[in-house]
Amino acid sequence: MSVAPRTHFLLFLISLSSRMGLSRYIEDIEAADGLYSLLSLDQKRDSEDFIFRRPLRCLDMLATDGSYTFVASRPQLACAAFIIAEPSEVISLELSDVNIDCSAGDFIKMFDGWVLKGEKFPSKQDHELPLHQRYTDYCSSPATGATSRSSQNVAMIFFRLHSADSGFTLAIKKLHNPFPCNIMSQSPEGSFTMVLPHQRKNCSFSIIYPVEIRLTDLSLGHAKSNELNPQRQLWSGCSGSGDYVELLGGNGVDTSMMFPVADLCFSLSGLAQMKIGCDNSVVRLVSSGNYINRVSFQYRLLEQSELPKTQENALDNFCSVE
């Protein structure tokens, strides 16, 4: 039986987080307030003055603007909350009412992106900031360490509290991003266009589901002809061009550690499609900064019967499928 999309998303996070030792700290979740509630997107404001509020769990997924308060009932030594917004949004985080003892080893750290199983999204190759600048540590500087703003539609917060009744409040606000880059999709189905206007950077669109990806349009400033390279031995030809799109598959979140499925380094008008039977499927646009590059694509969740169990399109079966 296939797993419902939102459940699959949370189970992916929990399965990776458990390898970091977080699973034993997952608080009990009532059936009525179960997996789906952590990704509920139907919490809407009734008026401009309304602020959504709820307790924060030790391991949590947050997708709604609002105020989230954590109060420890016992020592909590390995907690994390994953925050996700729409693709065209970035995330503002603000701490208040902080009651922790930094000298006793308590900490609250905010991160620009996600960290799972030691892997980071966006990868350090794709993020504009060096890794140390992506962390905001409240204990290092309470005055300046109480706020953080993400560079993409995901962020997270780590915290460790040794004493009962310690806690804090986290305010989340999502802001419009006119040039989305490095996106984690909330949905297994949809469409998107990534644009890099004369910017030397890489942008990834990550889909934490096994999906079919259909590239519908690709415009690379230097490109003069069409070519699809679905075989790994042709990889170096596109990477050497400086401007190209690659499809990646893997079971983690760091794009630099994922398997190259296919790449395109020539403009494409039409349809190129690929099924990726992995926990994570990625469209990555690499740009030299010399041109305006754009890629448009559609994606849909693979049915259980579509998941590849043998070699397909001359590629190794690199993702395990149960």
Side-chain angles (χ1 to χ4, degrees), residues 83-225:
I83 303 107
I84 189 167
E86 294 298 319
S88 61
E89 295 174 328
V90 293
I91 301 164
S92 171
L93 303 177
E94 183 174 0
L95 298 172
S96 62
D97 300 324
V98 179
N99 176 27
I100 67 173
D101 187 352
C102 296
S103 64
D106 292 357
F107 66 75
I108 306 173
K109 297 181 181 181
M110 294 174 280
F111 183 70
D112 185 2
W114 278 0
V115 181
L116 286 164
K117 200 184 61 172
E119 297 186 12
K120 298 172 179 63
F121 178 87
S123 69
K124 61 182 181 181
Q125 289 89 342
D126 291 353
H127 203 284
E128 294 182 303
L129 296 176
L131 185 59
H132 71 276
Q133 291 186 20
R134 296 170 64 182
Y135 287 94
T136 301
D137 187 345
Y138 175 83
C139 285
S140 294
S141 179
T144 59
T147 61
S148 178
R149 179 169 173 172
S150 73
S151 304
Q152 62 290 310
N153 76 321
V154 292
M156 70 181 302
I157 181 170
F158 310 88
F159 55 98
R160 172 183 295 171
L161 306 178
H162 287 83
S163 302
D165 297 327
S166 298
F168 60 91
T169 295
L170 174 68
I172 296 176
K173 185 177 182 180
K174 290 177 282 187
L175 308 170
H176 178 66
N177 181 13
F179 295 104
C181 180
N182 295 322
I183 298 135
M184 188 74 72
S185 176
Q186 296 186 40
S187 170
E189 297 182 353
S191 60
F192 198 75
T193 297
M194 286 193 292
V195 180
L196 283 175
H198 296 288
Q199 291 178 304
R200 183 181 177 85
K201 61 191 300 186
N202 309 325
C203 288
S204 294
F205 190 95
S206 184
I207 311 159
I208 304 185
Y209 305 92
V211 296
E212 178 186 69
I213 296 175
R214 297 187 177 191
L215 299 181
T216 56
D217 184 66
L218 174 60
S219 176
L220 301 173
H222 66 82
K224 300 300 181 182
S225 60

Side-chain angles (χ1 to χ4, degrees), residues 13-14 19 26 39 53 83 94 99 133 152 171 173 175 209 300 309 317:
L13 295 179
I14 291 177
R19 302 172 204 176
I26 300 175
L39 277 175
R53 301 177 188 273
I83 303 107
E94 183 174 0
N99 176 27
Q133 291 186 20
Q152 62 290 310
K173 185 177 182 180
L175 308 170
Y209 305 92
R300 68 169 183 86
K309 294 181 174 61
N317 185 25

Side-chain angles (χ1 to χ4, degrees), residues 215 217-218 220 222-223 225-230 234-235 237-239 241 243-247 262-269 271-274 283-286 295:
L215 299 181
D217 184 66
L218 174 60
L220 301 173
H222 66 82
S225 60
N226 298 345
E227 185 174 330
L228 174 65
N229 299 326
L234 297 178
W235 188 254
C238 277
S239 62
S241 70
D243 298 88
Y244 59 96
V245 164
E246 56 184 352
L247 303 183
D263 59 2
L264 297 96
C265 45
F266 297 93
S267 290
L268 173 73
S269 295
L271 185 66
Q273 64 186 56
M274 182 73 65
V283 179
R284 184 170 182 258
L285 177 60
V286 178
V295 59

Side-chain angles (χ1 to χ4, degrees), residues 69-82:
T69 299
F70 186 86
V71 178
S73 59
R74 61 184 186 277
Q76 298 283 9
L77 304 182
C79 296
F82 299 88

